[in-house]
Amino acid sequence: MKPITPMQWSFLKRYQGALDSKECLSKRFGGDGCDGRIVHAHMIPRSQLAQIAVQGHVHAVPTRLSPIAQMKRSGFQAEDIGIGNFSTLQCFCARHDKNLFAPLEDAALTFTREQLTLLHYRAMAAEVYIRGNAEDAAANEARKYLSSDPRREPFYQAFQIHSLAAIAAEENFKRTENMINLSGYDEIRAAIIRFDATPVLLSVGAFRPLYNVVGTKLQNFSEEAAYIGMHILTADKMPVAIFTWLKGERPSKRFAKSFCLQPYKELTTLAVQIAFEYAEHTCMRRDWWMSISKRWRALLLNRVETANRAAWVPDEDFLSFESLLDDWKCRSIDFVN
Ligand SMILES: [Zn+2]
């Protein structure tokens, strides 16, 4: 195993710096009243993390560049992460983080239209923030080389990929923000899938579904690509998977419907696969992770590894599986139209 060279370390540090840029996203499209200080905003509420934590820690695959660079040499692994440090992004100021998300943080999750809109908004904010920073970081590196230099190519390619995602994500984010500013939540759509089990995994993410869960093509990556938000949270101490999208986004609706049409006993396995495939913020109870088969652990870690390549595009059978991973016993599916 080749060690990481000092030059690679300094590159990683510089690149991570660009990925960690601080910005209150509520300002991006004309909001005001920032208090100036950018906080480490939690994408998954601490109160939720505490429900699956063991001695204050959850188990997750690290998402920062330096552990990823090391894991690319030694193999991808999940490790213990303190809940104070898990799933935080510097994308809101203290005031907006508190005020915007109070209906999620200070009240029980009952999936009102307002709560669903806020869940969607926060998942989209994470995507806008991550893609925008990845675009900037890649552009900064690409600029260092002449266009004829082959070393420029991977950065230029990454720049184009993230830029396309950022444009589509910002469009969706703007629409969602508009609903929040007007306190009118009629454009939010959702599928809420409730399970009957002890929660072992939490996840938040937003992605552009290319195929539905049985491999039917839904869309291409374009500037207008539809986004879907995906959460695995707990309500009444039981797991709930929530898909959110905006009115008129047909590929997202078709993705959610195809998920809900599968046999109940397969829904847990599908949800966990989607969480590992797409969601930057997925964590679990350590003992659950150790209880699943070695083969499943390898498959899920492989998903994270592939998803970490900028140019990776899922194919039509990316969600197929031969054996069940787990079954949290789905008890109901509700749609918000
Ligand atoms: Zn702010």
Side-chain angles (χ1 to χ4, degrees), residues 207-221 225-228 243 250-259 262 270 274 277-278 303 312-320:
F207 59 93
R208 296 161 293 169
L210 286 191
Y211 299 91
N212 71 9
V213 306
V214 291
T216 306
K217 185 87 189 235
L218 299 175
Q219 63 177 343
N220 290 308
F221 288 157
Y227 262 94
I228 188 164
F243 291 104
R250 285 182 54 81
S252 316
K253 178 181 177 178
R254 289 173 65 198
F255 183 89
K257 289 235 153 150
S258 78
F259 180 95
Q262 302 314 304
L270 276 172
I274 297 168
E277 190 89 32
Y278 286 119
R303 280 174 187 273
W312 166 83
V313 176
D315 61 19
E316 69 271 20
D317 34 271
F318 77 113
L319 285 174
S320 62

Side-chain angles (χ1 to χ4, degrees), residues 24 26 34-35 93 96:
C24 180
S26 74
C34 280
D35 79 348
C93 70
H96 281 123

Side-chain angles (χ1 to χ4, degrees), residues 13 40 55 59 78 162 170 223 237 281 329-330:
K13 208 175 151 203
H40 288 263
Q55 292 176 333
H59 214 55
H162 291 303
E170 285 190 3
E223 292 187 1
K237 302 212 157 74
H281 306 286
K329 309 280 180 221
C330 175

